[in-house]
Amino acid sequence: MENTVVKPTEHARLIEENDLGGRNLTGKAHLTITGVALLWSLYQLWIASPFPFWFDFLILNDTVQRSIHLAFALALVFLTFPAAARSRRDQIPITDIVLSLVAVGTCFYTVVNYESVVLRSGGSRTQLEFFVAFAGLGLLLEATRRALGLPMVIIGVVFIAYAFLGPYMPEIISHRGLSLNRFTEHMWLSTEGIFGLPLGVSSGFIFLYVLFGSLLDKAGAGNYFIQLSFGLLGHLRGGPAKAAVISSALTGMISGSAIANVVTTGTFTIPLMKRVGFSPEKAGAIEVSSSINGQIMPPIMGAAAFLMAEFVGISYFEVITHAFIPAFISYFGLYCIVHIEALKGRMSVLERAVTYSGTQRLMRSILTIILLSSLAFGLYLLFEAIGAAFGDNALIVTVLILAALYLGLIFASRRYPEIEVDDPDAPLLTVPAPLPIFLAGLFYILPIGVLVWCLMIERFSPALSVSWAILSIFVLLLTQKPLIALAHKRPVDAALWREGAQDLISGLIAGARNMTGVAVAMAAAGIIVGVVSATGLGLLMTEIIQTLSGGSFFLMMLLTAGMCVVLGMGLPTTANYIVVAAIMAHPFVTLAAEQGIEVPPIAVHLFVFYFGLLSGTTPPVAIDAFAGAAVARSDPLRTSLIAFVYGLRTAILPFIFVLNPALLLIGIQSAWQFAMVIGSSLIAMVIFAAGTQGYFFTRSRLWESVTLVVIAILLLRPATLLDAVQPPFESEPAQVLLQLADGLKGEADVRMIAEGENLSGTIVSKTIMLTLTGDGGQSAEDVLYESAGLGVEPEGDTLLVTDLSFDGSAQKAGLDYDWEILTLERSVDRINPNWLFLPLLTIVAMIIALQRTRASRRIENV
């Protein structure tokens, strides 16, 4: 049983059931579904292109685009996802056809009656509109149940009930409640609810990137990354597991589904991991952990990056810039865990097809890095020169150069064997040489290069960037088979061109079908977003978390993390991000500010995103881990528990980058500081892996493991230890505020501790940060009121808040009438926290020395 694996046909069935519905249809039913899916892809490409404006045809506004987008998704769900597990899979019941048509009709109501719906915004709605809204909402929830399961439906129903039952809720979460008219308009007939931001991002960005990934995989890039990773790392101890980590990072960049990543790469890597000595549970857990982390790896990040850009209000380029270092560190940590597991198990090493000495391998690696870096830099300079020299004609010249490069790489690949999909059951005695694999499929990297270039160099919009990348894949799919045949001097016939066209059409269909569950999830998440915006739940959650945490910022982070894991259970990557971000992100920032901690919004959104992802390995609804267990033929619960332990290295990162935004490349002042951040983080991950796995140079004792974990956390944020020894602030009397403001010239940042009643009547304490400005000739009262909207009067040793201007910075910071300013806090000069690296690393060196001594004694005794 241990050596049985999931066959390619069975892994395709797993993807079919989890992501595509699982119906096995033929004849007209199959043609209908493929036709709808193909039409959806063509529609999305049309609205993303400039063609509507060139031909003045089908120029659609955002509301209409989103309505048609959801109509396609609902139609495909009812046609492809059975109503129940026992339903027949070889036919579409009449009821599902009717439900599909009704669902499309509810979406098209706004399309057909757009002007009347918009013109009567805020007015009374008709009986027909009530029916359309509630029928559409009910069908959306049913589609969500079929595509995503019950968790998302339960969350949606709870939020709908909360919208109507607000007056009957406990005081801390009560609200006035929504009328039927308001609910209908807000949730279905406007862009505030179901057709709001999540569905807009789904229609505008996510579909195109999912389509990009499907087309690239159809071209063969996914298999290329797997083979290349194995060729590079398969010869190392535990090499197949290390290859799984790297290949999942690469395929995760082009996959919108963690489950698809698990079963695609896992079909190849899990049997190899088991063959070299990993247990089925550990093999499945390693694949699950690396596949889930593919969702945090830029540039695609499971499509959540586009939502973050919209929620936070920054560019897509900034999102992936901030997200790269934590993702890289997380993958490095998993690589270290895999290496330690291989050492603990004394696993065998596979031989390489071509062997080199250590010096030869080092020189080849250095030369390869230099060559690729030089090539990339040379191409950058070339395209910049083309832009300067040819002006408006630069695009034509660039396309010609890319075409020549593509042809050159195709014909250069003829010197190497063609890349084929390996049979996981076939015996494997040697690891193939990586260089022939790399050169044989180097042309697969061109579309990714086009995407990265457009995003990061040209700074095009995400939609325009991926449109160019998709166009390059079109060319690749249509021409690669005939050109490869020509390069290998094989006859080129019409069948090869037909195969290319069929691959293109199959990719378009697969992209739409892969998108079905995602689009439905986005629409269902719009229920949560709409209810939060209509009821003010985000502000209420601030009070709830503050009450539960008792004012402790660290406890608040733990509560937020726990809520993210619970809310994310059973949801796909992008949906769980929307749910937790809509509910938790604003309270997090607000409460951090009240503690006097300035947390960048992008750090908060990455925090909730990371913990939403962890739900994929958290029992009892660990859907990603269960998929990995199915491939590995292992116990699902044990697999999910091991994957959860492996995921702890990812769980500590959000806490660190919230408190130390330098990990997100925020506030980096110099190359030296950047090197310190990266270097200390990588060392910390090695130590953390050793601590959590109970093995460094030999099996660790308990005190050694605990010490290593603590040191790893301190290396990620050394100021934690320094704060305990030397507090960063010292208190001053509240009246110093008046002295500071009196005659202030220029700008001064003030940090103060204030106390007063919150909305529920509880006495709370907050840390307030204000920026005061003055011209040197103003009184303290004028400076405070003009720069912060604050009026105070002395009262004993404190200052009493007597006046607040509406929407002033003092009111925004959380001050209220009759609050008291207790003390001021002033920053103190203290040593650089980075000096603490020396004693921490000295302790690590001592543990290493102890372990090496024990290991050598054990060898002598043997």
Side-chain angles (χ1 to χ4, degrees):
M1 186 69 169
E2 191 170 293
N3 292 326
T4 57
V5 296
V6 176
K7 303 293 190 296
T9 53
E10 192 172 347
H11 106 253
R13 180 185 58 79
L14 281 171
I15 298 178
E16 183 79 19
E17 290 183 352
N18 282 285
D19 290 346
L20 305 180
R23 275 190 174 140
N24 184 21
L25 302 171
T26 58
K28 293 181 179 179
H30 175 72
L31 290 176
T32 300
I33 290 172
T34 55
V36 172
L38 180 60
L39 187 60
W40 191 10
S41 288
L42 295 176
Y43 159 75
Q44 294 291 161
L45 291 172
W46 174 267
I47 63 173
S49 71
F51 294 146
F53 301 96
W54 289 357
F55 300 107
D56 194 22
F57 178 70
L58 279 183
I59 301 175
L60 308 176
N61 58 51
D62 288 344
T63 303
V64 173
Q65 286 182 13
R66 297 172 189 181
S67 299
I68 298 174
H69 181 77
L70 182 58
F72 274 114
L74 292 178
L76 282 177
V77 167
F78 286 113
L79 293 176
T80 58
F81 286 81
R86 62 180 181 275
S87 300
R88 292 185 61 175
R89 304 302 174 98
D90 59 350
Q91 67 178 23
I92 304 175
I94 295 297
T95 52
D96 282 357
I97 296 175
V98 172
L99 291 176
S100 175
L101 293 174
V102 174
V104 170
T106 59
C107 294
F108 269 81
Y109 178 84
T110 304
V111 176
V112 176
N113 302 283
Y114 176 76
E115 291 188 4
S116 63
V117 169
V118 172
L119 289 176
R120 288 191 294 108
S121 177
S124 298
R125 292 299 169 180
T126 64
Q127 294 293 326
L128 177 59
E129 288 172 339
F130 288 145
F131 170 79
V132 167
F134 281 90
L137 188 59
L139 290 169
L140 172 61
L141 291 174
E142 169 59 13
T144 303
R145 183 191 68 81
R146 296 189 185 198
L148 307 176
L150 278 176
M152 189 70 178
V153 177
I154 293 172
I155 293 174
V157 169
V158 168
F159 272 82
I160 292 171
Y162 176 74
F164 289 108
L165 302 178
Y168 309 102
M169 292 290 173
E171 183 179 354
I172 195 169
I173 59 170
S174 64
H175 63 92
R176 291 184 301 174
L178 300 183
S179 67
L180 198 62
N181 194 79
R182 172 87 187 283
F183 181 85
T184 299
E185 178 173 313
H186 193 82
M187 298 303 295
W188 195 265
L189 301 178
S190 71
T191 55
E192 299 295 327
I194 289 166
F195 298 100
L197 175 63
L199 197 64
V201 175
S202 175
S203 175
F205 304 136
I206 297 177
F207 188 101
L208 295 175
Y209 280 82
V210 171
L211 181 61
F212 170 75
S214 296
L215 291 169
L216 197 57
D217 186 61
K218 184 64 67 174
N223 178 59
Y224 169 67
F225 290 144
I226 294 171
Q227 300 293 336
L228 180 61
S229 301
F230 185 67
L232 288 169
L233 304 173
H235 67 288
L236 302 175
R237 191 174 300 277
K242 294 172 181 175
V245 173
I246 303 303
S247 61
S248 292
L250 294 172
T251 56
M253 293 191 302
I254 62 172
S255 172
S257 168
I259 291 177
N261 199 356
V262 167
V263 296
T264 300
T265 60
T267 300
F268 178 74
T269 58
I270 287 176
L272 295 177
M273 283 190 267
K274 292 164 68 176
R275 195 174 306 173
V276 297
F278 285 95
S279 69
E281 286 76 18
K282 287 186 177 180
I286 289 169
E287 180 57 50
V288 168
S289 297
S290 49
S291 294
I292 288 177
N293 272 27
Q295 309 299 290
I296 66 174
M297 177 59 72
I300 295 181
M301 295 175 60
F306 312 110
L307 289 160
M308 284 186 201
E310 296 295 325
F311 281 145
V312 181
I314 60 179
S315 70
Y316 176 77
F317 175 77
E318 291 176 281
V319 171
I320 59 179
T321 300
H322 295 317
F324 177 75
I325 296 300
F328 176 75
I329 293 171
S330 181
Y331 263 111
F332 180 76
L334 182 59
Y335 184 93
C336 294
I337 288 172
V338 167
H339 180 69
I340 291 172
E341 288 282 12
L343 291 176
K344 286 165 62 177
R346 300 186 180 185
M347 296 177 185
S348 59
V349 178
L350 296 172
E351 294 183 5
R352 301 193 68 159
V354 180
T355 57
Y356 302 99
S357 66
T359 303
Q360 287 177 320
R361 288 199 300 269
L362 178 62
M363 292 304 299
R364 287 171 68 89
S365 299
I366 292 174
L367 288 175
T368 301
I369 292 173
I370 292 174
L371 179 63
L372 292 177
S373 300
S374 301
L375 178 62
F377 186 66
L379 288 174
Y380 172 76
L381 294 178
L382 174 63
F383 289 129
E384 287 293 308
I386 290 171
F390 292 93
D392 294 338
N393 296 318
L395 177 60
I396 299 174
V397 177
T398 301
V399 169
L400 292 175
I401 291 177
L402 285 175
L405 183 60
Y406 169 57
L407 291 172
L409 292 175
I410 287 281
F411 279 87
S413 70
R414 66 183 175 182
R415 299 173 55 190
Y416 308 98
E418 296 182 52
I419 301 172
E420 298 181 354
V421 179
D422 280 353
D423 180 1
D425 289 334
L428 180 65
L429 301 177
T430 60
V431 177
L435 186 60
I437 298 174
F438 174 70
L439 295 175
L442 189 56
F443 54 87
Y444 287 125
I445 299 177
L446 280 178
I448 299 176
V450 171
L451 175 63
V452 173
W453 178 274
C454 292
L455 281 173
M456 298 187 176
I457 305 299
E458 298 296 337
R459 300 291 181 89
F460 291 159
S461 69
L464 181 58
S465 299
V466 76
S467 296
W468 280 111
I470 288 173
L471 182 60
S472 68
I473 301 177
F474 277 16
V475 176
L476 176 63
L477 280 167
L478 290 171
T479 62
Q480 68 166 332
K481 290 184 177 179
L483 289 176
I484 289 174
L486 184 64
H488 286 267
K489 298 181 179 179
R490 295 197 301 265
V492 179
D493 53 23
L496 292 175
W497 294 100
R498 284 196 301 270
E499 286 179 21
Q502 289 169 358
D503 287 342
L504 175 57
I505 294 172
S506 297
L508 292 171
I509 294 169
R513 295 198 62 186
N514 288 337
M515 187 64 198
T516 302
V518 178
V520 170
M522 297 299 97
I527 298 174
I528 289 90
V529 175
V531 171
V532 169
S533 65
T535 62
L537 180 61
L539 297 175
L540 298 176
M541 285 300 296
T542 304
E543 294 286 329
I544 295 170
I545 297 176
Q546 185 180 56
T547 301
L548 293 175
S549 64
S552 168
F553 181 67
F554 182 72
L555 185 55
M556 182 200 72
M557 286 198 293
L558 286 177
L559 288 170
T560 303
M563 288 186 178
C564 291
V565 172
V566 172
L567 288 171
M569 283 185 180
L571 303 184
T573 303
T574 313
N576 69 37
Y577 164 68
I578 294 175
V579 172
V580 295
I583 300 172
M584 304 303 303
H586 177 73
F588 197 117
V589 174
T590 302
L591 291 173
E594 291 178 358
Q595 296 289 319
I597 301 172
E598 186 176 352
V599 180
I602 183 62
V604 177
H605 282 263
L606 285 172
F607 183 97
V608 298
F609 178 53
Y610 271 51
F611 280 103
L613 280 176
L614 283 179
S615 64
T617 61
T618 307
V621 194
I623 55 175
D624 300 327
F626 291 169
V631 178
R633 287 290 191 262
S634 62
D635 179 78
L637 185 59
R638 287 188 61 194
T639 302
S640 65
L641 289 173
I642 295 173
F644 180 76
V645 173
Y646 290 163
L648 290 178
R649 85 216 178 275
T650 302
I652 67 168
L653 284 174
F655 289 97
I656 301 303
F657 61 60
V658 162
L659 297 171
N660 182 21
L663 276 179
L664 304 179
L665 301 183
I666 296 175
I668 298 291
Q669 302 295 328
S670 63
W672 170 248
Q673 185 184 4
F674 175 78
M676 285 291 293
V677 169
I678 301 300
S680 62
S681 299
L682 296 180
I683 294 172
M685 276 295 133
V686 175
I687 298 171
F688 186 82
T692 55
Q693 297 306 303
Y695 190 100
F696 208 169
F697 286 81
T698 188
R699 293 196 179 276
S700 301
R701 291 170 178 162
L702 180 61
W703 72 267
E704 291 174 337
S705 295
V706 173
T707 303
L708 288 173
V709 170
V710 171
I711 289 175
I713 295 173
L714 292 176
L715 284 174
L716 288 168
R717 190 179 184 268
T720 302
L721 182 59
L722 185 61
D723 290 346
V725 178
Q726 187 182 19
F729 302 100
E730 62 180 17
S731 298
E732 295 182 328
Q735 281 81 0
V736 173
L737 176 64
L738 297 176
Q739 301 172 16
L740 178 66
D742 189 28
L744 175 67
K745 187 173 183 178
E747 187 175 285
D749 293 325
V750 179
R751 178 186 173 101
M752 61 187 75
I753 306 297
E755 184 180 82
E757 290 187 2
N758 62 9
L759 294 175
S760 60
T762 306
I763 300 296
V764 295
S765 178
K766 293 182 179 181
T767 302
I768 306 295
M769 301 285 292
L770 296 177
T771 299
L772 306 180
T773 56
D775 59 11
Q778 297 170 292
S779 65
E781 291 77 10
D782 289 341
V783 169
L784 289 172
Y785 196 81
E786 290 179 12
S787 57
L790 174 65
V792 296
E793 288 184 2
E795 187 175 274
D797 295 332
T798 65
L799 295 175
L800 183 68
V801 177
T802 58
D803 197 8
L804 288 168
S805 67
F806 177 73
D807 212 29
S809 59
Q811 185 190 53
K812 289 180 179 179
L815 285 175
D816 205 345
Y817 287 96
D818 295 329
W819 276 49
E820 289 184 316
I821 299 174
L822 304 179
T823 59
L824 265 63
E825 292 194 330
R826 182 175 59 85
S827 299
V828 297
D829 293 329
R830 55 181 190 164
I831 65 171
N832 189 324
N834 291 335
W835 284 109
L836 295 176
F837 288 159
L838 294 177
L840 292 174
L841 293 177
T842 301
I843 297 173
V844 173
M846 292 171 59
I847 293 175
I848 292 173
L850 288 173
Q851 292 204 357
R852 290 176 67 92
T853 302
R854 289 206 306 272
S856 62
R857 287 175 181 171
R858 186 175 293 111
I859 293 173
E860 290 174 1
N861 292 333
V862 171

